[in-house]
Amino acid sequence: MLQNKGLTVIDVYQAWCGPCTAMQPLFRKLKNETNEEKILHFVVAEADNIVTLQSFRDKCEPVFLFSVNGKIIAKIQGANAPLVNKKVITLINEEKKIAAGEMVRPQYPDILLIELEKTRKKPERERYSIAIIKPDAVLKRKAQEIKEKITMAGFVIEAEEKTMFTEKQVRDFYSQIADQPDFEEFLSFMTTGLSNVLIIAQEKEQDQVEENETELKETSEPPTESEVKKWDSLQKYLEQQHISQFCDVEDDEANVTKFTDVFFPDFKIAKGKKLQRTLALLRPDLLEKQDDVLKVIKDEDFEILMERQIVLSEEEAKMLCKEYEKENYFEALIEKMTRSPSLALVLLRENCVQHWKELLGPRTVEKVSEYHAESLCAQFAMGNLPINQLYGSDSMEAAERDIECFFPPENTLALIKPHVTREQRAEILKLIKEEGFELTQMKDMLLTPEQVGKIYFQITKKDFYKDIVEVLSEGQSLVMVLTKWNAIVSWRRLMGPVDPEEAKLLSPDSIRARFGINILKNAVHGSTNHYSATVNSNALFEEDAGEE
């Protein structure tokens, strides 16, 4: 490529996000308008696979290099279309004048690439630990407090999995204490409740310094020793904080690798991909073309995690339209947003927030220029207001706030009945995870008649109620609190009709169709509404949460 005569514009990109799509219309325009195929070339270069470009790896911001006759003479960071356009026109005009003998080739300063990288300190290979927050801490709702303490001490939680350990997993992880006399009791404790498994990394030195400086500026209270000190040992820190009894740590590299493969088989892939979520919203005027927008979303490799049509409240509308509040049409916009439905979506993709914002283009139709001719703002300009008919969150932090606002999490009680085998339980738990539920609480327990009465309080006077009590007293039930947006309806849909025979006809992929035996032994149970979900969850987990 560097053998090309004339100017070559190089789009340096990361494998996980691809070339900068927002700049492609500009490159096509320049190619067509200059009509200089012999002296103007556009190429892409993947930084991950080219040693010379390694200093640009792991960067979200696009980078454009300008090569003239084999020498890199300029660099522009960011998708700044006007600046790139000006630089290309200037360099092409220079090449024409040089060819015509009207000017001497300028002496450009060197743009260092690989040389810069050689001066950088070689990064140390990142080391990880495995931490297990045990069932008693999860039941007492201490897990969040423990995670906050871990991050405050300069550690980073890279991944988290909520799981109920199998007997084999406990014996593997705790093999060093297997000969202790109370190990079988400990084994029962670990296999009957929910644990949080964490992958922990030491926070990078520079990140920690910057964070500590920010925190010191924001508070007038002097920091404690544990807040200032950078802890090298997670175990020692947990002991200093008097919470080591709730959380076990594994630092041995071989064991960490083994347990990562068990609990986080896709960890290395997911860490490299840098997956993000963002909120996207189609305003009311655009709903008639929503299929066209959804096709663009699919073609750009976004995954739609959640979607709903919603008529916004005035507060919600003003939050999403804040950028237009100084415009004379602001009140008309709020009225439209609060009288007609919008379509809200949660999107998932590598570099999701930035890529969606690039696709959207400018905030108003009036600002669409030749540089944004293929933006969604330009493609879907409609209605009587000059606004972008789509919305996207501005940052990862804003995205999480937006998602929680429009898709608020909801809890429901779920129960796997005693007749379900261990193998079938594992399959059901896999289905629960695949449907996007979070396991907030879970424990294996033999339900007492009193507890059954609290779960089925709405039907205790029915003739068949005593049969339900009998079925649930036959063995251990797995009781869970599941969390996601619209959890109650989603769980009932996943369960299927109450009668397994009916479920096989109407919902053959449902849990009851696959694992139910009859209308009593129908594999699973779930709350019917918000009130019963709250009553059921409190009846079975509040007592544990209150114990100290």
Side-chain angles (χ1 to χ4, degrees), residues 53-96:
L53 300 177
Q54 58 187 299
S55 59
F56 299 111
R57 294 174 188 170
D58 300 322
K59 307 288 194 303
C60 292
E61 189 176 39
V63 175
F64 301 94
L65 302 177
F66 299 83
S67 169
V68 173
N69 294 337
K71 180 180 180 180
I72 306 296
I73 57 104
K75 175 180 70 174
I76 292 178
Q77 292 181 265
N80 189 330
L83 187 58
V84 171
N85 182 72
K86 181 179 179 181
K87 175 62 73 174
V88 170
I89 296 298
T90 300
L91 292 174
I92 286 295
N93 287 338
E94 285 183 1
E95 287 301 301
K96 289 179 179 178

Side-chain angles (χ1 to χ4, degrees), residues 135-165:
D136 53 346
V138 176
L139 279 174
K140 293 173 182 177
R141 301 181 183 175
K142 291 181 175 289
Q144 187 59 37
E145 175 190 347
I146 293 171
K147 288 187 289 185
E148 288 174 359
K149 285 181 178 291
I150 288 172
T151 55
M152 283 177 58
F155 297 94
V156 178
I157 299 174
E158 296 281 2
E160 176 180 357
E161 178 73 13
K162 295 181 178 179
T163 187
M164 181 179 284
F165 277 80

